[in-house]
Amino acid sequence: MTVSEQTFKVEGLHCQSCVRVVSAALEALPEVSAVEVDLGEPSTVRVHADADLSVEQVQAALDEEGEYSVVG
């Protein structure tokens, strides 16, 4: 059951391939049940999870995938 929806602004996403990479990285976190991404500058990433995620947790998941930066 999802108890939390959070929105993060993420820079560095440019295409659908980036969306897939970021979505997969965040969905790999045990708390996360779904991820939605809207491309833009910065992009909006909505995370549905069983617990609130910190900016640090999201950034750590993205650090391994490329040049993505959580900006808000």
Side-chain angles (χ1 to χ4, degrees):
M1 180 176 108
T2 300
V3 296
S4 174
E5 179 181 320
Q6 293 175 271
T7 302
F8 299 92
K9 298 287 186 187
V10 179
E11 291 183 336
L13 286 83
H14 305 289
C15 62
Q16 288 302 315
S17 179
C18 294
V19 170
R20 285 191 295 275
V21 168
V22 166
S23 295
L26 293 174
E27 287 170 351
L29 295 173
E31 305 90 344
V32 175
S33 57
V35 176
E36 300 167 32
V37 179
D38 293 323
L39 286 174
E41 268 311 314
S43 297
T44 302
V45 179
R46 280 185 302 285
V47 178
H48 303 267
D50 294 332
D52 283 345
L53 299 175
S54 68
V55 169
E56 292 79 13
Q57 285 174 295
V58 173
Q59 185 63 61
L62 299 182
D63 279 347
E64 299 179 13
E65 303 302 331
E67 298 296 316
Y68 304 113
S69 299
V70 179
V71 294

